[in-house]
Amino acid sequence: MVARLQRDAFDIGEELRDFGAGAGAIVSFSGLVRAEGGRLVALEIEHYPGMTEKAMTAYGEAAAERFGLRDWRIIHRHGRLEAGETIMMVATAARHRRAAFDGAEYLMDWLKSRAPFWKREIGPAGPGAWVEARAEDEDALARW
Amino acid sequence: MALDVLYFAWLRERIGQPRERIETDAATVRELVAQLAAMDEWHAAALSDLSAVRVALDQELADLDAPLGAAREVAFFPPMTGG
């Protein structure tokens, strides 16, 4: 049961080493910075200090209750992240596969559209556009 | 009452500052937005399309018609793009 916001890189293998002891199923997802065919050099990720940490913890606790998770972990980075770097990860541990998959998808849907993070593209010429929220991401919340 | 008003992402850039202290008698978020938009052209431009603006009251998501109540901190920002 860990929600962590940080600037530094993290090691996914290390994060999963002692994760979910005794569970029958563990799912992990990680999101990376896409280069978008060279259009993008990096992303700058802004957050709302205080609210972001609270939102991450609240969604983790909600997922744990709803899907009966034995453990969960959310790590999200902020600041400048170069193409190819890992932005964030979620991991869920449950007795069975379905709850672990559903818990991870639920966390991703909520984090994408309701946790206060904003991404800005940085191209070869410098800072570019703020990434716009996608209607599909908003729609994805409806299934929960 | 005095409120801390915070801005993030392109709202922060358009308004030109990350936060400001505002004296207000507004009863709802929408009334506060009207007061802010009347301050100058930068606020007006940033707050012109409210469909692109999300709100938090004391770090909890709220909607435009929410009463300000005893809130101390109001934040305005674009739809989130985490993950």
Side-chain angles (χ1 to χ4, degrees):
Chain A
M1 276 74 85
V2 170
R4 217 164 71 221
L5 176 70
Q6 62 187 52
R7 190 175 279 274
D8 295 339
F10 58 88
D11 181 328
I12 296 165
E14 195 61 40
E15 296 295 338
L16 293 175
R17 192 178 310 284
D18 297 314
F19 178 76
I26 289 177
V27 166
S28 77
F29 169 87
S30 37
L32 286 71
V33 181
R34 284 186 302 269
E36 305 287 14
R39 187 170 61 77
L40 217 141
V41 172
L43 280 179
E44 179 79 28
I45 299 181
E46 183 169 329
H47 71 288
Y48 182 169
M51 181 175 169
T52 303
E53 295 91 326
K54 281 198 282 188
M56 289 166 64
T57 302
Y59 301 145
E61 288 172 350
E65 174 156 348
R66 178 160 177 169
F67 302 101
L69 303 180
R70 298 173 66 103
D71 201 0
W72 54 270
R73 183 164 295 208
I74 304 168
I75 302 171
H76 205 301
R77 296 174 66 194
H78 65 92
R80 181 183 164 123
L81 306 184
E82 308 300 316
E85 283 196 71
T86 302
I87 304 170
M88 55 87 62
M89 69 168 279
V90 302
T92 53
R95 193 169 160 76
H96 296 292
R97 159 178 65 105
R98 179 56 55 200
F101 272 119
D102 286 350
E105 291 226 58
Y106 172 96
L107 281 177
M108 284 311 304
D109 286 343
W110 281 88
L111 290 168
K112 259 195 130 41
S113 300
R114 290 291 183 274
F117 289 103
W118 302 276
K119 295 191 182 110
R120 169 181 235 168
E121 296 182 349
I122 300 175
W130 290 93
V131 174
E132 286 195 34
R134 302 184 328 153
E136 306 94 278
D137 291 337
E138 187 65 31
D139 294 345
L141 280 179
R143 69 173 158 144
W144 308 114
Chain B
M1 65 180 166
L3 282 174
D4 287 315
V5 181
L6 280 63
Y7 308 105
F8 292 94
W10 55 255
L11 274 131
R12 170 176 54 70
E13 292 183 328
R14 285 186 199 173
I15 285 168
Q17 54 190 345
R19 66 191 299 151
E20 57 190 334
R21 190 129 176 105
I22 298 287
E23 274 296 333
T24 185
D25 297 320
T28 64
V29 174
R30 203 179 286 279
E31 288 179 27
L32 176 64
V33 168
Q35 178 186 341
L36 294 169
M39 284 169 55
D40 56 46
E41 61 189 290
W42 297 282
H43 285 80
L47 297 166
S48 62
D49 177 10
L50 294 180
S51 70
V53 175
R54 300 287 178 269
V55 184
L57 289 182
D58 286 338
Q59 306 193 353
E60 296 281 345
L61 291 173
D63 60 46
L64 283 166
D65 294 310
L68 288 176
R72 308 292 297 272
E73 182 175 298
V74 182
F76 295 100
F77 41 79
M80 296 82 125
T81 51

mmCIF file of all heavy atoms in Angstrom, chain A residues 14-64:
data_model
loop_
_atom_site.group_PDB
_atom_site.id
_atom_site.type_symbol
_atom_site.label_atom_id
_atom_site.label_comp_id
_atom_site.label_asym_id
_atom_site.label_seq_id
_atom_site.Cartn_x
_atom_site.Cartn_y
_atom_site.Cartn_z
ATOM 1 N N GLU A 14 12.946 -3.672 -8.804
ATOM 2 C CA GLU A 14 13.157 -3.451 -7.367
ATOM 3 C C GLU A 14 11.823 -3.197 -6.660
ATOM 4 O O GLU A 14 11.572 -3.700 -5.562
ATOM 5 C CB GLU A 14 14.091 -2.235 -7.218
ATOM 6 C CG GLU A 14 14.719 -2.058 -5.853
ATOM 7 C CD GLU A 14 15.591 -3.234 -5.464
ATOM 8 O OE1 GLU A 14 16.325 -3.782 -6.316
ATOM 9 O OE2 GLU A 14 15.496 -3.613 -4.282
ATOM 10 N N GLU A 15 10.969 -2.442 -7.311
ATOM 11 C CA GLU A 15 9.666 -2.118 -6.709
ATOM 12 C C GLU A 15 8.807 -3.367 -6.531
ATOM 13 O O GLU A 15 7.972 -3.428 -5.644
ATOM 14 C CB GLU A 15 8.905 -1.111 -7.584
ATOM 15 C CG GLU A 15 9.576 0.242 -7.723
ATOM 16 C CD GLU A 15 9.652 1.007 -6.411
ATOM 17 O OE1 GLU A 15 8.850 0.721 -5.503
ATOM 18 O OE2 GLU A 15 10.535 1.878 -6.292
ATOM 19 N N LEU A 16 9.007 -4.349 -7.416
ATOM 20 C CA LEU A 16 8.150 -5.543 -7.373
ATOM 21 C C LEU A 16 8.760 -6.675 -6.540
ATOM 22 O O LEU A 16 8.112 -7.690 -6.312
ATOM 23 C CB LEU A 16 7.885 -6.041 -8.803
ATOM 24 C CG LEU A 16 7.039 -5.103 -9.672
ATOM 25 C CD1 LEU A 16 6.959 -5.638 -11.103
ATOM 26 C CD2 LEU A 16 5.642 -4.920 -9.086
ATOM 27 N N ARG A 17 9.996 -6.469 -6.082
ATOM 28 C CA ARG A 17 10.716 -7.569 -5.435
ATOM 29 C C ARG A 17 9.957 -8.160 -4.254
ATOM 30 O O ARG A 17 9.771 -9.376 -4.190
ATOM 31 C CB ARG A 17 12.115 -7.106 -4.996
ATOM 32 C CG ARG A 17 13.014 -8.249 -4.582
ATOM 33 C CD ARG A 17 14.410 -7.767 -4.205
ATOM 34 N NE ARG A 17 15.009 -6.888 -5.204
ATOM 35 C CZ ARG A 17 15.527 -7.308 -6.352
ATOM 36 N NH1 ARG A 17 15.527 -8.591 -6.653
ATOM 37 N NH2 ARG A 17 16.049 -6.451 -7.207
ATOM 38 N N ASP A 18 9.509 -7.306 -3.351
ATOM 39 C CA ASP A 18 8.810 -7.831 -2.170
ATOM 40 C C ASP A 18 7.327 -7.491 -2.207
ATOM 41 O O ASP A 18 6.663 -7.471 -1.186
ATOM 42 C CB ASP A 18 9.429 -7.251 -0.896
ATOM 43 C CG ASP A 18 10.876 -7.673 -0.764
ATOM 44 O OD1 ASP A 18 11.156 -8.863 -0.966
ATOM 45 O OD2 ASP A 18 11.731 -6.805 -0.491
ATOM 46 N N PHE A 19 6.849 -7.199 -3.399
ATOM 47 C CA PHE A 19 5.477 -6.726 -3.525
ATOM 48 C C PHE A 19 4.481 -7.891 -3.480
ATOM 49 O O PHE A 19 4.685 -8.924 -4.114
ATOM 50 C CB PHE A 19 5.326 -5.964 -4.850
ATOM 51 C CG PHE A 19 3.937 -5.465 -5.098
ATOM 52 C CD1 PHE A 19 3.454 -4.347 -4.433
ATOM 53 C CD2 PHE A 19 3.099 -6.127 -5.986
ATOM 54 C CE1 PHE A 19 2.157 -3.900 -4.652
ATOM 55 C CE2 PHE A 19 1.807 -5.687 -6.211
ATOM 56 C CZ PHE A 19 1.333 -4.564 -5.542
ATOM 57 N N GLY A 20 3.409 -7.710 -2.707
ATOM 58 C CA GLY A 20 2.278 -8.641 -2.754
ATOM 59 C C GLY A 20 2.563 -10.043 -2.257
ATOM 60 O O GLY A 20 2.040 -11.019 -2.810
ATOM 61 N N ALA A 21 3.384 -10.148 -1.214
ATOM 62 C CA ALA A 21 3.717 -11.481 -0.687
ATOM 63 C C ALA A 21 2.437 -12.254 -0.355
ATOM 64 O O ALA A 21 1.528 -11.717 0.270
ATOM 65 C CB ALA A 21 4.575 -11.333 0.566
ATOM 66 N N GLY A 22 2.354 -13.485 -0.807
ATOM 67 C CA GLY A 22 1.202 -14.328 -0.501
ATOM 68 C C GLY A 22 0.064 -14.211 -1.492
ATOM 69 O O GLY A 22 -0.918 -14.958 -1.408
ATOM 70 N N ALA A 23 0.173 -13.287 -2.437
ATOM 71 C CA ALA A 23 -0.905 -13.126 -3.427
ATOM 72 C C ALA A 23 -0.840 -14.246 -4.461
ATOM 73 O O ALA A 23 0.207 -14.864 -4.667
ATOM 74 C CB ALA A 23 -0.773 -11.770 -4.124
ATOM 75 N N GLY A 24 -1.972 -14.473 -5.136
ATOM 76 C CA GLY A 24 -1.979 -15.463 -6.213
ATOM 77 C C GLY A 24 -1.744 -14.830 -7.571
ATOM 78 O O GLY A 24 -1.467 -15.519 -8.552
ATOM 79 N N ALA A 25 -1.887 -13.496 -7.641
ATOM 80 C CA ALA A 25 -1.763 -12.810 -8.938
ATOM 81 C C ALA A 25 -1.208 -11.408 -8.729
ATOM 82 O O ALA A 25 -1.656 -10.687 -7.838
ATOM 83 C CB ALA A 25 -3.130 -12.724 -9.608
ATOM 84 N N ILE A 26 -0.237 -11.060 -9.551
ATOM 85 C CA ILE A 26 0.304 -9.699 -9.512
ATOM 86 C C ILE A 26 0.289 -9.149 -10.928
ATOM 87 O O ILE A 26 0.721 -9.812 -11.867
ATOM 88 C CB ILE A 26 1.741 -9.687 -8.954
ATOM 89 C CG1 ILE A 26 1.708 -9.991 -7.456
ATOM 90 C CG2 ILE A 26 2.415 -8.337 -9.214
ATOM 91 C CD1 ILE A 26 3.070 -10.080 -6.805
ATOM 92 N N VAL A 27 -0.250 -7.935 -11.068
ATOM 93 C CA VAL A 27 -0.237 -7.239 -12.359
ATOM 94 C C VAL A 27 0.534 -5.943 -12.179
ATOM 95 O O VAL A 27 0.352 -5.248 -11.181
ATOM 96 C CB VAL A 27 -1.681 -6.919 -12.826
ATOM 97 C CG1 VAL A 27 -1.675 -5.899 -13.965
ATOM 98 C CG2 VAL A 27 -2.391 -8.196 -13.275
ATOM 99 N N SER A 28 1.406 -5.623 -13.139
ATOM 100 C CA SER A 28 2.030 -4.302 -13.092
ATOM 101 C C SER A 28 1.962 -3.654 -14.462
ATOM 102 O O SER A 28 1.971 -4.335 -15.490
ATOM 103 C CB SER A 28 3.480 -4.378 -12.604
ATOM 104 O OG SER A 28 4.320 -4.838 -13.632
ATOM 105 N N PHE A 29 1.814 -2.348 -14.457
ATOM 106 C CA PHE A 29 1.779 -1.568 -15.682
ATOM 107 C C PHE A 29 2.767 -0.430 -15.520
ATOM 108 O O PHE A 29 2.866 0.161 -14.439
ATOM 109 C CB PHE A 29 0.377 -0.977 -15.905
ATOM 110 C CG PHE A 29 0.339 0.053 -17.003
ATOM 111 C CD1 PHE A 29 0.144 -0.327 -18.321
ATOM 112 C CD2 PHE A 29 0.531 1.397 -16.715
ATOM 113 C CE1 PHE A 29 0.135 0.625 -19.336
ATOM 114 C CE2 PHE A 29 0.537 2.353 -17.731
ATOM 115 C CZ PHE A 29 0.336 1.971 -19.037
ATOM 116 N N SER A 30 3.503 -0.107 -16.579
ATOM 117 C CA SER A 30 4.301 1.105 -16.516
ATOM 118 C C SER A 30 4.104 1.920 -17.781
ATOM 119 O O SER A 30 3.891 1.373 -18.868
ATOM 120 C CB SER A 30 5.783 0.806 -16.267
ATOM 121 O OG SER A 30 6.161 -0.351 -16.938
ATOM 122 N N GLY A 31 4.106 3.231 -17.619
ATOM 123 C CA GLY A 31 3.923 4.155 -18.730
ATOM 124 C C GLY A 31 5.233 4.860 -19.030
ATOM 125 O O GLY A 31 5.946 5.278 -18.116
ATOM 126 N N LEU A 32 5.582 4.972 -20.342
ATOM 127 C CA LEU A 32 6.861 5.549 -20.758
ATOM 128 C C LEU A 32 6.637 6.782 -21.635
ATOM 129 O O LEU A 32 5.577 6.920 -22.250
ATOM 130 C CB LEU A 32 7.657 4.511 -21.567
ATOM 131 C CG LEU A 32 8.301 3.357 -20.796
ATOM 132 C CD1 LEU A 32 7.246 2.381 -20.281
ATOM 133 C CD2 LEU A 32 9.278 2.624 -21.671
ATOM 134 N N VAL A 33 7.645 7.609 -21.714
ATOM 135 C CA VAL A 33 7.580 8.780 -22.593
ATOM 136 C C VAL A 33 7.809 8.332 -24.034
ATOM 137 O O VAL A 33 8.855 7.773 -24.352
ATOM 138 C CB VAL A 33 8.649 9.831 -22.217
ATOM 139 C CG1 VAL A 33 8.532 11.044 -23.139
ATOM 140 C CG2 VAL A 33 8.527 10.245 -20.760
ATOM 141 N N ARG A 34 6.817 8.577 -24.906
ATOM 142 C CA ARG A 34 6.966 8.225 -26.329
ATOM 143 C C ARG A 34 7.714 9.339 -27.065
ATOM 144 O O ARG A 34 7.471 10.515 -26.826
ATOM 145 C CB ARG A 34 5.588 8.102 -26.984
ATOM 146 C CG ARG A 34 4.826 6.849 -26.652
ATOM 147 C CD ARG A 34 3.557 6.793 -27.490
ATOM 148 N NE ARG A 34 2.714 7.955 -27.277
ATOM 149 C CZ ARG A 34 1.739 8.014 -26.360
ATOM 150 N NH1 ARG A 34 1.472 6.977 -25.609
ATOM 151 N NH2 ARG A 34 1.035 9.116 -26.215
ATOM 152 N N ALA A 35 8.577 8.944 -28.001
ATOM 153 C CA ALA A 35 9.315 9.951 -28.774
ATOM 154 C C ALA A 35 8.447 10.536 -29.882
ATOM 155 O O ALA A 35 8.767 11.591 -30.431
ATOM 156 C CB ALA A 35 10.577 9.330 -29.367
ATOM 157 N N GLU A 36 7.354 9.862 -30.220
ATOM 158 C CA GLU A 36 6.445 10.329 -31.284
ATOM 159 C C GLU A 36 7.226 10.625 -32.558
ATOM 160 O O GLU A 36 7.092 11.686 -33.170
ATOM 161 C CB GLU A 36 5.660 11.582 -30.839
ATOM 162 C CG GLU A 36 4.885 11.448 -29.540
ATOM 163 C CD GLU A 36 3.626 10.583 -29.668
ATOM 164 O OE1 GLU A 36 3.484 9.872 -30.676
ATOM 165 O OE2 GLU A 36 2.801 10.614 -28.741
ATOM 166 N N GLY A 37 8.057 9.662 -32.948
ATOM 167 C CA GLY A 37 8.807 9.791 -34.195
ATOM 168 C C GLY A 37 9.794 10.945 -34.231
ATOM 169 O O GLY A 37 10.059 11.505 -35.295
ATOM 170 N N GLY A 38 10.313 11.332 -33.079
ATOM 171 C CA GLY A 38 11.320 12.394 -33.024
ATOM 172 C C GLY A 38 10.745 13.783 -32.763
ATOM 173 O O GLY A 38 11.477 14.738 -32.534
ATOM 174 N N ARG A 39 9.400 13.878 -32.805
ATOM 175 C CA ARG A 39 8.753 15.171 -32.554
ATOM 176 C C ARG A 39 8.947 15.591 -31.098
ATOM 177 O O ARG A 39 8.935 16.760 -30.755
ATOM 178 C CB ARG A 39 7.253 15.028 -32.860
ATOM 179 C CG ARG A 39 6.459 16.304 -32.811
ATOM 180 C CD ARG A 39 5.064 16.064 -33.360
ATOM 181 N NE ARG A 39 4.300 15.080 -32.601
ATOM 182 C CZ ARG A 39 3.712 15.326 -31.435
ATOM 183 N NH1 ARG A 39 3.787 16.522 -30.895
ATOM 184 N NH2 ARG A 39 3.037 14.383 -30.808
ATOM 185 N N LEU A 40 9.160 14.579 -30.261
ATOM 186 C CA LEU A 40 9.213 14.840 -28.825
ATOM 187 C C LEU A 40 10.559 14.418 -28.243
ATOM 188 O O LEU A 40 11.020 13.303 -28.472
ATOM 189 C CB LEU A 40 8.097 14.005 -28.194
ATOM 190 C CG LEU A 40 7.358 14.617 -27.052
ATOM 191 C CD1 LEU A 40 5.894 14.266 -27.144
ATOM 192 C CD2 LEU A 40 7.929 14.033 -25.782
ATOM 193 N N VAL A 41 11.186 15.321 -27.520
ATOM 194 C CA VAL A 41 12.465 15.024 -26.879
ATOM 195 C C VAL A 41 12.230 14.604 -25.432
ATOM 196 O O VAL A 41 12.906 13.735 -24.893
ATOM 197 C CB VAL A 41 13.369 16.281 -26.911
ATOM 198 C CG1 VAL A 41 14.623 16.064 -26.092
ATOM 199 C CG2 VAL A 41 13.725 16.641 -28.351
ATOM 200 N N ALA A 42 11.245 15.238 -24.817
ATOM 201 C CA ALA A 42 10.974 14.983 -23.401
ATOM 202 C C ALA A 42 9.557 15.436 -23.071
ATOM 203 O O ALA A 42 8.883 16.058 -23.903
ATOM 204 C CB ALA A 42 11.979 15.747 -22.533
ATOM 205 N N LEU A 43 9.124 15.091 -21.879
ATOM 206 C CA LEU A 43 7.870 15.619 -21.335
ATOM 207 C C LEU A 43 8.201 16.338 -20.043
ATOM 208 O O LEU A 43 9.097 15.915 -19.296
ATOM 209 C CB LEU A 43 6.894 14.477 -20.988
ATOM 210 C CG LEU A 43 6.066 13.823 -22.079
ATOM 211 C CD1 LEU A 43 5.231 12.718 -21.454
ATOM 212 C CD2 LEU A 43 5.168 14.841 -22.785
ATOM 213 N N GLU A 44 7.473 17.417 -19.782
ATOM 214 C CA GLU A 44 7.575 18.079 -18.477
ATOM 215 C C GLU A 44 6.258 17.779 -17.776
ATOM 216 O O GLU A 44 5.187 18.019 -18.339
ATOM 217 C CB GLU A 44 7.751 19.589 -18.696
ATOM 218 C CG GLU A 44 7.853 20.402 -17.419
ATOM 219 C CD GLU A 44 9.234 20.333 -16.774
ATOM 220 O OE1 GLU A 44 10.223 20.140 -17.499
ATOM 221 O OE2 GLU A 44 9.301 20.449 -15.529
ATOM 222 N N ILE A 45 6.338 17.228 -16.596
ATOM 223 C CA ILE A 45 5.117 16.857 -15.880
ATOM 224 C C ILE A 45 4.957 17.740 -14.650
ATOM 225 O O ILE A 45 5.803 17.758 -13.757
ATOM 226 C CB ILE A 45 5.135 15.366 -15.491
ATOM 227 C CG1 ILE A 45 5.225 14.533 -16.775
ATOM 228 C CG2 ILE A 45 3.882 14.998 -14.692
ATOM 229 C CD1 ILE A 45 5.231 13.059 -16.577
ATOM 230 N N GLU A 46 3.862 18.498 -14.668
ATOM 231 C CA GLU A 46 3.540 19.400 -13.563
ATOM 232 C C GLU A 46 2.535 18.699 -12.648
ATOM 233 O O GLU A 46 1.727 17.895 -13.098
ATOM 234 C CB GLU A 46 2.930 20.682 -14.150
ATOM 235 C CG GLU A 46 2.611 21.747 -13.120
ATOM 236 C CD GLU A 46 2.266 23.105 -13.775
ATOM 237 O OE1 GLU A 46 2.803 23.405 -14.867
ATOM 238 O OE2 GLU A 46 1.456 23.849 -13.191
ATOM 239 N N HIS A 47 2.570 19.016 -11.362
ATOM 240 C CA HIS A 47 1.577 18.445 -10.446
ATOM 241 C C HIS A 47 1.152 19.499 -9.437
ATOM 242 O O HIS A 47 1.669 20.626 -9.451
ATOM 243 C CB HIS A 47 2.132 17.195 -9.760
ATOM 244 C CG HIS A 47 3.203 17.479 -8.748
ATOM 245 N ND1 HIS A 47 4.476 17.878 -9.104
ATOM 246 C CD2 HIS A 47 3.183 17.453 -7.400
ATOM 247 C CE1 HIS A 47 5.188 18.075 -8.002
ATOM 248 N NE2 HIS A 47 4.429 17.836 -6.950
ATOM 249 N N TYR A 48 0.249 19.125 -8.586
ATOM 250 C CA TYR A 48 -0.319 20.036 -7.577
ATOM 251 C C TYR A 48 0.144 19.502 -6.225
ATOM 252 O O TYR A 48 -0.465 18.583 -5.687
ATOM 253 C CB TYR A 48 -1.835 20.002 -7.712
ATOM 254 C CG TYR A 48 -2.674 20.892 -6.805
ATOM 255 C CD1 TYR A 48 -4.017 21.042 -7.065
ATOM 256 C CD2 TYR A 48 -2.152 21.572 -5.703
ATOM 257 C CE1 TYR A 48 -4.841 21.837 -6.265
ATOM 258 C CE2 TYR A 48 -2.959 22.371 -4.904
ATOM 259 C CZ TYR A 48 -4.299 22.493 -5.183
ATOM 260 O OH TYR A 48 -5.104 23.267 -4.385
ATOM 261 N N PRO A 49 1.250 20.050 -5.692
ATOM 262 C CA PRO A 49 1.819 19.486 -4.460
ATOM 263 C C PRO A 49 0.758 19.418 -3.358
ATOM 264 O O PRO A 49 0.065 20.393 -3.102
ATOM 265 C CB PRO A 49 2.931 20.473 -4.102
ATOM 266 C CG PRO A 49 3.316 21.093 -5.408
ATOM 267 C CD PRO A 49 2.027 21.202 -6.192
ATOM 268 N N GLY A 50 0.649 18.296 -2.746
ATOM 269 C CA GLY A 50 -0.355 18.112 -1.699
ATOM 270 C C GLY A 50 -1.558 17.372 -2.243
ATOM 271 O O GLY A 50 -1.843 16.247 -1.844
ATOM 272 N N MET A 51 -2.232 17.963 -3.230
ATOM 273 C CA MET A 51 -3.427 17.308 -3.770
ATOM 274 C C MET A 51 -3.066 16.045 -4.554
ATOM 275 O O MET A 51 -3.768 15.043 -4.486
ATOM 276 C CB MET A 51 -4.208 18.264 -4.672
ATOM 277 C CG MET A 51 -5.467 17.603 -5.228
ATOM 278 S SD MET A 51 -6.504 18.742 -6.177
ATOM 279 C CE MET A 51 -7.659 17.566 -6.918
ATOM 280 N N THR A 52 -1.964 16.098 -5.294
ATOM 281 C CA THR A 52 -1.591 14.942 -6.114
ATOM 282 C C THR A 52 -1.334 13.704 -5.236
ATOM 283 O O THR A 52 -1.836 12.617 -5.515
ATOM 284 C CB THR A 52 -0.346 15.275 -6.965
ATOM 285 O OG1 THR A 52 -0.641 16.423 -7.762
ATOM 286 C CG2 THR A 52 0.016 14.129 -7.879
ATOM 287 N N GLU A 53 -0.581 13.902 -4.165
ATOM 288 C CA GLU A 53 -0.289 12.768 -3.272
ATOM 289 C C GLU A 53 -1.579 12.229 -2.655
ATOM 290 O O GLU A 53 -1.767 11.014 -2.539
ATOM 291 C CB GLU A 53 0.660 13.202 -2.151
ATOM 292 C CG GLU A 53 2.059 13.623 -2.618
ATOM 293 C CD GLU A 53 2.171 15.112 -2.921
ATOM 294 O OE1 GLU A 53 1.179 15.712 -3.405
ATOM 295 O OE2 GLU A 53 3.253 15.671 -2.680
ATOM 296 N N LYS A 54 -2.462 13.153 -2.262
ATOM 297 C CA LYS A 54 -3.723 12.710 -1.644
ATOM 298 C C LYS A 54 -4.576 11.925 -2.627
ATOM 299 O O LYS A 54 -5.185 10.918 -2.272
ATOM 300 C CB LYS A 54 -4.525 13.934 -1.140
ATOM 301 C CG LYS A 54 -4.021 14.470 0.176
ATOM 302 C CD LYS A 54 -5.057 15.347 0.845
ATOM 303 C CE LYS A 54 -5.109 16.720 0.232
ATOM 304 N NZ LYS A 54 -5.943 17.675 0.950
ATOM 305 N N ALA A 55 -4.622 12.404 -3.883
ATOM 306 C CA ALA A 55 -5.423 11.722 -4.900
ATOM 307 C C ALA A 55 -4.859 10.325 -5.173
ATOM 308 O O ALA A 55 -5.611 9.345 -5.276
ATOM 309 C CB ALA A 55 -5.459 12.545 -6.185
ATOM 310 N N MET A 56 -3.534 10.206 -5.277
ATOM 311 C CA MET A 56 -2.932 8.894 -5.542
ATOM 312 C C MET A 56 -3.290 7.908 -4.433
ATOM 313 O O MET A 56 -3.660 6.758 -4.685
ATOM 314 C CB MET A 56 -1.397 9.032 -5.653
ATOM 315 C CG MET A 56 -0.948 9.761 -6.929
ATOM 316 S SD MET A 56 0.800 10.281 -6.887
ATOM 317 C CE MET A 56 1.666 8.718 -6.818
ATOM 318 N N THR A 57 -3.183 8.359 -3.192
ATOM 319 C CA THR A 57 -3.512 7.483 -2.058
ATOM 320 C C THR A 57 -4.996 7.122 -2.062
ATOM 321 O O THR A 57 -5.368 5.955 -1.847
ATOM 322 C CB THR A 57 -3.142 8.190 -0.732
ATOM 323 O OG1 THR A 57 -1.750 8.497 -0.766
ATOM 324 C CG2 THR A 57 -3.443 7.312 0.473
ATOM 325 N N ALA A 58 -5.853 8.114 -2.328
ATOM 326 C CA ALA A 58 -7.297 7.862 -2.310
ATOM 327 C C ALA A 58 -7.690 6.838 -3.378
ATOM 328 O O ALA A 58 -8.506 5.936 -3.119
ATOM 329 C CB ALA A 58 -8.052 9.171 -2.524
ATOM 330 N N TYR A 59 -7.114 6.934 -4.591
ATOM 331 C CA TYR A 59 -7.476 5.988 -5.652
ATOM 332 C C TYR A 59 -6.928 4.598 -5.329
ATOM 333 O O TYR A 59 -7.579 3.590 -5.617
ATOM 334 C CB TYR A 59 -6.992 6.485 -7.024
ATOM 335 C CG TYR A 59 -7.589 7.834 -7.384
ATOM 336 C CD1 TYR A 59 -6.866 8.781 -8.088
ATOM 337 C CD2 TYR A 59 -8.886 8.170 -6.976
ATOM 338 C CE1 TYR A 59 -7.413 10.033 -8.395
ATOM 339 C CE2 TYR A 59 -9.429 9.407 -7.275
ATOM 340 C CZ TYR A 59 -8.686 10.339 -7.975
ATOM 341 O OH TYR A 59 -9.218 11.570 -8.266
ATOM 342 N N GLY A 60 -5.752 4.543 -4.733
ATOM 343 C CA GLY A 60 -5.206 3.244 -4.316
ATOM 344 C C GLY A 60 -6.102 2.579 -3.286
ATOM 345 O O GLY A 60 -6.429 1.386 -3.402
ATOM 346 N N GLU A 61 -6.536 3.349 -2.303
ATOM 347 C CA GLU A 61 -7.394 2.781 -1.253
ATOM 348 C C GLU A 61 -8.749 2.364 -1.822
ATOM 349 O O GLU A 61 -9.308 1.327 -1.437
ATOM 350 C CB GLU A 61 -7.563 3.799 -0.116
ATOM 351 C CG GLU A 61 -6.277 3.941 0.694
ATOM 352 C CD GLU A 61 -6.317 5.073 1.718
ATOM 353 O OE1 GLU A 61 -7.275 5.884 1.686
ATOM 354 O OE2 GLU A 61 -5.379 5.123 2.544
ATOM 355 N N ALA A 62 -9.267 3.164 -2.749
ATOM 356 C CA ALA A 62 -10.564 2.823 -3.360
ATOM 357 C C ALA A 62 -10.445 1.529 -4.164
ATOM 358 O O ALA A 62 -11.339 0.667 -4.118
ATOM 359 C CB ALA A 62 -11.037 3.964 -4.257
ATOM 360 N N ALA A 63 -9.338 1.367 -4.893
ATOM 361 C CA ALA A 63 -9.138 0.149 -5.685
ATOM 362 C C ALA A 63 -9.000 -1.065 -4.772
ATOM 363 O O ALA A 63 -9.545 -2.136 -5.048
ATOM 364 C CB ALA A 63 -7.894 0.291 -6.566
ATOM 365 N N ALA A 64 -8.276 -0.891 -3.673
ATOM 366 C CA ALA A 64 -8.062 -1.997 -2.738
ATOM 367 C C ALA A 64 -9.396 -2.493 -2.195
ATOM 368 O O ALA A 64 -9.654 -3.701 -2.119
ATOM 369 C CB ALA A 64 -7.156 -1.559 -1.590
#
